[in-house]
Amino acid sequence: MYRVFREYIVCFYLVLGAYGTVRSQEMDSARTVVVFEGLDERYRPKQEVKNLEEIEPVCQEIITKLRIDGYWLASIDSVDHTSNLAKVYCYQGRKFDVIDISIYNEYELFNKLPHFPGNKLDRVRSPFEIEAEIEKILHYLEANGYPFAEIIMDSSKMEVDTLRAYLHLDFGTKITYDSLELNPPSLINPIFLSRYLGLDYDKIYDEQDLTGVQDKIRHLPFLTLEKMTTSFQLKKAKISLDLAHKKVNHFDGILGLVPDQDGEGVEVTGELDLSIKNLFKSGKRIEVKWNRLDPGSQQLHANYLHPILFGSPLDFYFAIDQIRQDTVYSNRSIQLAFDYRPIKNVEMRVSYENLLGNELDDQKEISGDFDIDYYGLTVVWYRLDQLFNPKRGFKIKWDADIGRKSIQGSGGTIPESTQYRLRSTLESYFRISSRSVLYLASKNGAIFNDYLYLNDLFRLGGLKSIRGFNELEFFASKYAVLNLEWRYYLDVQSYLLAFYDQSFLSYKILNGSFDDRPAGVGIGMQFATAQGNFKILYGLGRRNGESFSFATSKIHFGYTAIF
């Protein structure tokens, strides 16, 4: 509550006689010659003041320069206006080499507060230094339960070349948080939300907690903050939030039956994508993605996010992945992680992952049996106009993992080794016009180890990486993918698009190598409705030895039901 600080800085100057105001009779705005009396030549305006409206800002500039040079009692006494001549009578006063400012509190409460900031008020040399020192004290008090703290001028006296001023610090009432009031109350558990926002009941009031409320709610995709109000009663701060629900849970799925390989039965194929983002109204998230587009291969990904674990600022994340590639290999991955937001617009994750690779019936002997324990760090930095469906800004993500790899069944011929996995993503959004947005992304990754197998590698291709190709068609130990997309918005979330994807892929494994530069080009559209989103893309792919061909074109489409 810096308004208190600003008021009492002005009060401080008034008591010192340093902030005289410019007063004059009713005067017209015609050209007037303005002269300044009582000032040394170096403090007079360098340019002629020709208009009465210019007098007050020029006077404030003069007084500021005088105080910086040690004339702390300087003031503007009066303005005398006759005909086309205005005389400004100034009091320059004496120069003080030292200004000694002391701050006290009759209860000496600041000596009992932890880490109470030290100040240099006894050694300030300009009004700006006074402002900075007092701002530091009041900012600390606002963060420690005293939002109504005031610093008031008590008295002053002159001693030779020293001006001494005494300030009184009034802490005001100590404030703690009352229970959080939500409107409507049924959208989310108020206990969870108060912990998530750092507004726990009976916690010491901190002004910074309130400034961060809007940003924290932005990171809850299922809520929108309409209005926030604060009231103070009986040493309690009551925070009221008006919230609105957003539909972000989604479900999408399709199932099919095909004959199995021996022709004696049927096998289930299809896709399933389920995401619930406010489980039990406590911000918990669960996601399940499964697909089996042909009988020989399938993928499963499931994750669970538990926010503010045990009331701490950490979110707990658990994920399991299973992928089977025909009769070549089967991989299983389990990941545990903790997420943390140290500052606004920055997210961090510390993770542990166990990746278990299993060779099945690999006739080419390019897959292997191995076990890797990865320890990773992820950092995300972004500046977006909105977190979901942004139209301006950027997002950068870095992933670094280091793991210990042991290869099974090698008979000791391949020793344990260290494996590195690095990834980075840069996404930029440029608003070209009110309806047009240019999306540009660079996605890169590399795995380093002397003993790599096919099932060690990254999987790319399809809707989220290189369009115009089948999902996860490519393998790579090193990749660079550039995505260029132009979007023309029909409404807030519906748009037409044209895209071009260019990639550089390679790998070198124990029994093989690969190098390619596949590219994709196409058009598409996304339509948003109250019940869900529909997206369809038509893409052509090109790779080494093959050019763009309509015969090999791909259609990517999907419908996501939102609830």
Side-chain angles (χ1 to χ4, degrees):
M1 297 189 176
Y2 292 115
R3 62 180 185 278
V4 177
F5 159 65
R6 299 293 181 191
E7 292 170 359
Y8 283 97
I9 282 292
V10 172
C11 178
F12 172 67
Y13 291 152
L14 283 169
V15 174
L16 292 181
Y19 202 117
T21 54
V22 178
R23 300 291 183 187
S24 62
Q25 295 81 23
E26 294 293 328
M27 298 180 284
D28 57 48
S29 59
R31 177 184 173 87
T32 301
V33 177
V34 181
V35 296
F36 291 81
E37 303 287 348
L39 293 177
D40 291 347
E41 186 62 31
R42 66 179 183 275
Y43 295 110
R44 297 178 186 274
K46 302 300 181 184
Q47 297 181 349
E48 182 182 358
V49 180
K50 301 178 180 180
N51 194 298
L52 295 175
E53 282 76 7
E54 299 178 8
I55 292 180
E56 185 164 354
V58 170
C59 288
Q60 292 176 353
E61 183 179 347
I62 291 172
I63 294 302
T64 298
K65 290 180 179 178
L66 287 166
R67 295 184 191 131
I68 292 175
D69 289 348
Y71 295 93
W72 288 88
L73 300 183
S75 65
I76 304 299
D77 289 344
S78 63
V79 177
D80 186 17
H81 178 260
T82 59
S83 185
N84 292 329
L85 176 66
K87 289 187 177 183
V88 180
Y89 294 95
C90 307
Y91 173 71
Q92 184 168 319
R94 58 184 292 189
K95 181 177 181 179
F96 294 94
D97 294 330
V98 179
I99 177 169
D100 184 0
I101 302 177
S102 302
I103 184 170
Y104 74 94
N105 172 269
E106 61 265 32
Y107 303 109
E108 295 187 351
L109 183 57
F110 52 80
N111 290 327
K112 301 177 182 178
L113 292 175
H115 311 298
F116 190 85
N119 65 81
K120 302 176 182 178
L121 286 172
D122 57 339
R123 297 189 298 276
V124 296
R125 307 207 44 98
S126 73
F128 306 108
E129 292 180 2
I130 295 177
E131 185 172 336
E133 292 300 319
I134 294 180
E135 181 175 350
K136 180 173 65 175
I137 294 171
L138 292 180
H139 179 81
Y140 169 84
L141 293 174
E142 287 178 349
N144 286 270
Y146 297 93
F148 301 108
E150 300 175 348
I151 295 180
I152 306 169
M153 186 67 187
D154 184 78
S155 61
S156 63
K157 64 180 180 179
M158 293 176 287
E159 296 178 358
V160 192
D161 293 331
T162 300
L163 175 62
R164 300 191 185 280
Y166 301 94
L167 306 179
H168 175 246
L169 173 57
D170 182 0
F171 279 79
T173 303
K174 184 177 181 179
I175 302 295
T176 57
Y177 289 115
D178 199 350
S179 55
L180 195 64
E181 183 178 81
L182 305 181
N183 182 36
S186 59
L187 296 183
I188 193 169
N189 187 318
I191 296 178
F192 159 76
L193 190 59
S194 63
R195 290 178 177 176
Y196 173 76
L197 298 176
L199 305 177
D200 291 328
Y201 176 79
D202 223 24
K203 177 188 172 184
I204 293 176
Y205 178 91
D206 185 349
E207 187 80 9
Q208 292 300 312
D209 290 339
L210 303 185
T211 60
V213 166
Q214 184 171 5
D215 178 66
K216 288 184 177 180
I217 290 184
R218 284 179 62 206
H219 286 79
L220 297 176
F222 48 86
L223 285 182
T224 299
L225 177 63
E226 302 287 337
K227 185 177 68 172
M228 179 177 68
T229 57
T230 306
S231 59
F232 299 92
Q233 299 177 7
L234 302 176
K235 300 182 180 182
K236 294 285 187 181
K238 187 173 185 179
I239 313 300
S240 299
L241 303 178
D242 290 349
L243 305 173
H245 172 66
K246 289 197 300 185
K247 292 183 178 181
V248 291
N249 299 329
H250 67 259
F251 173 78
D252 182 18
I254 184 172
L255 294 177
L257 298 176
V258 298
D260 62 12
Q261 296 180 354
D262 58 15
E264 297 181 358
V266 296
E267 294 188 11
V268 177
T269 62
E271 285 187 87
L272 174 66
D273 189 353
L274 171 66
S275 176
I276 300 177
K277 293 185 171 63
N278 189 22
L279 193 64
F280 308 124
K281 297 183 179 180
S282 58
K284 298 178 178 66
R285 185 189 74 197
I286 185 169
E287 295 179 333
V288 178
K289 297 180 182 180
W290 171 82
N291 71 66
R292 191 180 186 187
L293 301 181
D294 62 77
S297 302
Q298 70 172 345
Q299 302 166 45
L300 171 67
H301 170 80
N303 69 67
Y304 170 74
L305 180 71
H306 190 109
I308 55 171
L309 184 66
F310 303 126
S312 72
L314 300 177
D315 296 343
F316 173 71
Y317 176 82
F318 171 79
I320 183 169
D321 287 90
Q322 180 76 44
I323 181 169
R324 178 188 173 110
Q325 183 66 28
D326 201 16
T327 60
V328 180
Y329 70 83
S330 175
N331 279 11
R332 187 270 298 153
S333 168
I334 295 178
Q335 184 181 37
L336 305 175
F338 293 96
D339 297 342
Y340 178 60
R341 292 181 60 220
I343 58 174
K344 183 180 179 181
N345 298 333
V346 173
E347 299 175 2
M348 299 181 66
R349 168 174 289 181
V350 177
S351 63
Y352 163 76
E353 177 185 359
N354 176 254
L355 175 60
L356 185 63
N358 294 287
E359 177 190 357
L360 299 178
D361 186 16
D362 184 4
Q363 302 299 323
K364 297 181 179 180
E365 298 183 349
I366 56 177
S367 301
D369 296 326
F370 57 81
D371 191 345
I372 307 176
D373 290 317
Y374 275 121
Y375 299 90
L377 174 65
T378 301
V379 179
V380 181
W381 176 40
Y382 54 88
R383 291 188 181 276
L384 302 169
D385 58 344
Q386 53 191 20
L387 289 178
F388 308 100
N389 193 27
K391 298 178 177 63
R392 183 185 292 111
F394 68 87
K395 182 178 181 180
I396 303 175
K397 182 179 181 180
W398 298 278
D399 287 284
D401 301 284
I402 181 172
R404 195 64 180 168
K405 180 178 185 180
S406 60
I407 297 178
Q408 313 299 323
S410 64
T413 58
I414 301 180
E416 285 193 359
S417 58
T418 301
Q419 185 156 308
Y420 301 92
R421 185 174 62 185
L422 306 175
R423 287 166 289 183
S424 68
T425 301
L426 168 61
E427 297 178 291
S428 299
Y429 301 83
F430 304 93
R431 183 183 284 276
I432 302 174
S433 66
S434 60
R435 289 184 176 270
S436 295
V437 173
L438 183 65
Y439 169 76
L440 180 63
S442 173
K443 303 170 184 178
N444 310 276
I447 298 176
F448 299 98
N449 188 274
D450 292 332
Y451 310 102
L452 290 177
Y453 291 102
L454 190 72
N455 47 333
D456 273 304
L457 307 182
F458 298 114
R459 301 290 303 273
L460 298 103
L463 185 60
K464 295 183 179 180
S465 54
I466 312 171
R467 290 161 287 192
F469 295 92
N470 293 329
E471 291 294 319
L472 306 183
E473 179 174 344
F474 299 102
F475 293 83
S477 60
K478 297 179 182 178
Y479 70 87
V481 179
L482 300 176
N483 303 119
L484 178 63
E485 184 173 302
W486 171 75
R487 300 175 181 177
Y488 182 80
Y489 279 84
L490 305 175
D491 56 37
V492 177
Q493 297 187 37
S494 301
Y495 55 84
L496 306 176
L497 67 92
F499 68 85
Y500 176 76
D501 300 331
Q502 179 64 61
S503 63
F504 305 87
L505 313 177
S506 68
Y507 67 71
K508 186 176 181 180
I509 58 179
L510 285 173
N511 294 318
S513 62
F514 169 81
D515 191 305
D516 201 352
R517 291 171 172 78
V521 63
I523 58 175
M525 60 182 176
Q526 173 175 296
F527 287 107
T529 68
Q531 289 75 34
N533 295 326
F534 174 77
K535 191 171 188 177
I536 182 169
L537 299 176
Y538 179 79
L540 302 176
R542 179 191 66 189
R543 57 192 304 173
N544 289 352
E546 299 179 6
S547 59
F548 291 116
S549 172
F550 289 101
T552 58
S553 62
K554 304 295 179 183
I555 297 178
H556 308 278
F557 68 92
Y559 175 78
T560 302
I562 301 176
F563 58 96

